[in-house]
Amino acid sequence: MEELCRKDLMKLIQSTNFMVIEMALYLDTHPQDACAMGTYQEYRRQFKRAVALYEKKYAPLTFYGVEDENGWSWGNEPWPWQKECD
Amino acid sequence: MWKYMKMLEYPVNIKTTNARLAMAIMSQLGGPDGEKGAATRYLSQRYAMPDNRVVGVLTDIGTEELGHEEMVSTIITQLTKNLTMDEIEQSGFYQYYVDHTTGIWPQAASGVPFSTATLQSTGDPIADLHEDMAAEQKARLTYDNILRLCRDEPDVYDAIKFLRAREMVHYQRFGESLRMLQDQLDAKNFYAYNPAFDKKAPCI
């Protein structure tokens, strides 16, 4: 994961985030499915790791993730509808 | 309580502007079966839902719909970026431009403003879940209609295809929610009473 460029790391965050959403919706109606729970845990682990790495290396993804040494950097980077961001 | 995450659920990167297509896709933001209506419907219905597992479904799908609002708004923004006056005057975007320039304002493709009159929160969980399943089908067919209009725009097609697939997953989850709720009711007559309001079936 550490070797990924910014674009690929964002892609990993988006794809693991999608899997967390998909598994959460499935588990909402299948709470006893142990196999699905395992899949959820695996993607959640990857997602959290990727977000922590992205926020440390590049920019905050939530305003809980602002790196102190950068000051208030929440608005420094493009927003998701501004093409440069993808 | 919600937290905002500064990214799209699925990437949108549209290279060519198309004001005509933006006018059509706008319906999935503020139209009768659009994402704003979906989010408002599910997040409002939660409070009368007696089964906490189904409250989870409404919360999580409603939250995902907020992300879809952002995706549709992004598609419209990118499709109308740097439009020339000629493009505006020659497309169906002309009327929208007068009031909103290239800003985002929720309306149907026909120009009808977004209205909660297109959705219900009845306080009756059985009625609400049927409405939710119908809503997902209506949103799915609207995306089908949009897909036919953007066959030659691969960037737009890709994002719309993703949104269409989500409607089908949501439909499945609402169907399961309805079954979970019905499992707790009188199988001989699911509709004998409102499980969120009546304490028991009224004597009829």
Side-chain angles (χ1 to χ4, degrees):
Chain A
M1 200 178 281
E2 280 72 12
E3 72 290 350
L4 292 177
C5 70
R6 180 169 182 164
K7 203 175 162 203
D8 288 346
L9 187 57
M10 175 45 79
K11 217 173 229 178
L12 180 69
I13 291 169
Q14 284 176 314
S15 55
T16 52
N17 176 58
F18 174 74
M19 281 306 292
V20 172
I21 293 173
E22 182 69 336
M23 295 320 294
L25 294 189
Y26 177 84
L27 284 160
D28 281 345
T29 53
H30 304 80
Q32 308 301 330
D33 189 329
C35 178
M37 189 67 196
T39 309
Y40 161 77
Q41 286 166 333
E42 172 56 24
Y43 283 105
R44 182 188 56 182
R45 189 185 62 77
Q46 283 186 42
F47 169 76
K48 282 186 169 179
R49 219 183 119 207
V51 167
L53 189 63
Y54 188 96
E55 291 188 324
K56 198 166 157 44
K57 274 174 89 170
Y58 304 115
L61 290 171
T62 72
F63 59 41
Y64 300 88
V66 173
E67 286 286 324
D68 293 345
E69 63 261 33
N70 299 336
W72 188 246
S73 55
W74 182 227
N76 290 1
E77 297 285 325
W79 291 85
W81 50 92
Q82 298 162 351
K83 283 181 198 177
E84 305 74 35
C85 202
D86 285 329
Chain B
M1 171 68 206
W2 271 264
K3 289 178 188 172
Y4 179 71
M5 214 174 164
K6 194 171 173 176
M7 63 179 221
L8 298 178
E9 188 189 5
Y10 184 88
V12 175
N13 203 342
I14 296 163
K15 292 167 205 82
T16 41
T17 55
N18 186 333
R20 219 171 116 82
L21 192 54
M23 275 310 292
I25 291 174
M26 203 170 282
S27 251
Q28 284 300 65
L29 176 63
D33 307 303
E35 303 290 359
K36 189 176 285 296
T40 308
R41 177 187 293 110
Y42 308 144
L43 295 176
S44 302
Q45 288 175 353
R46 298 186 302 155
Y47 303 93
M49 188 54 66
D51 185 310
N52 280 345
R53 297 168 302 175
V54 182
V55 175
V57 174
L58 289 168
T59 302
D60 297 341
I61 295 181
T63 300
E64 191 182 351
E65 307 291 14
L66 293 174
H68 294 172
E69 266 191 50
E70 190 182 36
M71 275 185 69
V72 175
S73 302
T74 298
I75 293 170
I76 298 165
T77 299
Q78 294 185 358
L79 279 173
T80 57
K81 203 176 176 188
N82 303 323
L83 283 177
T84 65
M85 280 317 294
D86 278 348
E87 285 171 314
I88 290 170
E89 284 171 16
Q90 285 157 22
S91 69
F93 196 69
Y94 189 94
Q95 282 100 333
Y96 183 90
Y97 159 83
V98 175
D99 292 326
H100 313 292
T101 330
T102 55
I104 292 291
W105 189 72
Q107 66 161 49
S110 62
V112 176
F114 171 70
S115 167
T116 51
T118 60
L119 59 93
Q120 250 292 25
S121 176
T122 65
D124 181 311
I126 301 277
D128 280 355
L129 284 168
H130 277 96
E131 153 130 353
D132 301 344
M133 292 173 72
E136 294 295 336
Q137 287 301 318
K138 290 188 286 178
R140 190 267 309 154
L141 79 86
T142 309
Y143 280 126
D144 279 336
N145 291 343
I146 290 170
L147 283 171
R148 291 186 198 103
L149 294 173
C150 60
R151 297 184 305 276
D152 303 326
E153 306 271 359
D155 300 334
V156 183
Y157 198 93
D158 184 54
I160 298 291
K161 219 170 67 176
F162 170 83
L163 291 166
R164 177 189 184 274
R166 298 312 293 156
E167 310 300 343
M168 293 160 72
V169 171
H170 295 170
Y171 176 79
Q172 174 76 23
R173 299 284 95 89
F174 282 130
E176 290 156 359
S177 300
L178 181 61
R179 199 188 60 220
M180 284 156 60
L181 201 66
Q182 286 179 329
D183 282 348
Q184 300 164 52
L185 300 175
D186 178 2
K188 287 182 190 154
N189 189 355
F190 292 136
Y191 314 109
Y193 70 107
N194 173 355
F197 189 74
D198 300 308
K199 294 286 176 272
K200 61 181 173 60
C203 297
I204 301 168

